[in-house]
Amino acid sequence: MSTRAAGPKVRMPKLGLGPQIVVFFLILGLLGAMAIQPTRQLMAQRSRIKQATLDLAHVLKSNERLQTRINRLQDPDYVDQLARSQAGLVKPGEIPFVVMPPGRDASAHKAKAERAAEKPPPPPPPSFVESLLRFVGVS
């Protein structure tokens, strides 16, 4: 006698390896999608850090130039030289001389003389209306 239950036998179908691979790739894709935003933020932060480092180097270089200028402006000889070259200041008893470079006036006179020496351009040909009036005999 058998102890089997009467009725059709129900078997679970074997799904195989395919669905397991699909689930694995779905989970992998979900993890990848979750990692995209932090990766973008990290890249943006690195870019900002690089730009801030370049800005800092520029500011430090500018500060160095300004400090050099401050040190030079504390030198009385340098200040005297600047006053003489920029403001035209002189010490008491000195006679100032101002040497003017040749300006546009000399070159303008030269160009004007050259234009006067050239012969004038020929008169323009008569217009159509003038030619027509001359042909008719009105002018």
Side-chain angles (χ1 to χ4, degrees), residues 51-123:
Q51 185 61 41
T53 303
L54 292 174
D55 291 344
L56 176 63
H58 178 70
V59 168
L60 289 175
K61 190 173 183 179
S62 177
N63 284 347
E64 186 178 315
R65 282 191 309 242
L66 291 172
Q67 187 61 44
T68 302
R69 186 161 186 217
I70 288 171
N71 293 340
R72 289 187 75 192
L73 287 173
Q74 291 175 350
D75 181 17
D77 292 333
Y78 181 70
V79 173
D80 184 44
Q81 177 188 1
L82 282 179
R84 288 172 176 270
S85 66
Q86 292 180 359
L89 298 178
V90 294
K91 291 183 179 179
E94 291 183 339
I95 301 172
F97 290 97
V98 179
V99 178
M100 298 297 292
R104 294 183 180 176
D105 292 337
S107 61
H109 289 300
K110 184 177 179 183
K112 192 182 234 184
E114 287 176 359
R115 282 194 303 266
E118 295 175 2
K119 67 178 189 177

Side-chain angles (χ1 to χ4, degrees), residues 126-139:
S127 67
F128 175 74
V129 175
E130 290 174 343
S131 300
L132 183 63
L133 291 176
R134 190 172 298 147
F135 178 74
V136 174
V138 175
S139 82

